[in-house]
Amino acid sequence: MSDTDIFVCDAADLEEGGRGVRFPVTAGFEDRTGFVVRYGGAVRGFLNRCAHVPIELDWSEGQFFESSGLYLMCSTHGALYDPESGRCAGGPCRGGSLRPICVVEREGKIYWQPDDYIRPARA
């Protein structure tokens, strides 16, 4: 484990194409949330902010996938994102991408790793 790994949730909390888990972050100088989901057998992490309009994606807490479980979807404008890369797959996000957050799965736990832009939430 790295000194910078921050616990998010138990790995069992994430089902393929299902509910995600939100966690607090500071992005730049703003309090935001990040989220993790499971897709393609791997855990994926992103800043919870639509590339079209800077709002959170989830319909209700942790609901990031559209009904087929194949795409992440903005609840406000219907922008679709590839859950593997975060790239816009359709809708008003044309050419945009979600901001990835480095996540690791280890010993049944999910952790995220801060970078120069996304850091632990301020107190």
Side-chain angles (χ1 to χ4, degrees), residues 9-109:
C9 64
D10 290 327
D13 293 343
L14 301 177
E15 292 183 25
E16 182 76 17
R19 183 181 274 296
V21 174
R22 296 164 47 114
F23 55 93
V25 300
T26 296
F29 297 101
E30 299 179 31
D31 294 331
R32 298 274 182 209
T33 59
F35 69 93
V36 291
V37 293
R38 185 175 301 284
Y39 184 80
V43 176
R44 316 292 177 165
F46 298 99
L47 183 63
N48 190 5
R49 186 173 179 162
C50 182
H52 171 232
V53 175
I55 56 175
E56 293 185 333
L57 271 68
D58 40 346
W59 301 87
S60 61
E61 189 165 330
Q63 296 295 328
F64 297 97
F65 283 98
E66 44 74 56
S67 61
S68 74
L70 298 176
Y71 295 98
L72 302 172
M73 184 175 186
C74 176
S75 63
T76 303
H77 297 106
L80 296 174
Y81 298 94
D82 177 341
E84 289 185 19
S85 67
R87 283 184 295 228
C88 178
C93 55
R94 280 173 263 166
S97 283
L98 299 176
R99 171 69 162 73
I101 295 176
C102 183
V103 294
V104 293
E105 181 172 359
R106 186 175 42 254
E107 298 175 3
K109 308 278 185 209

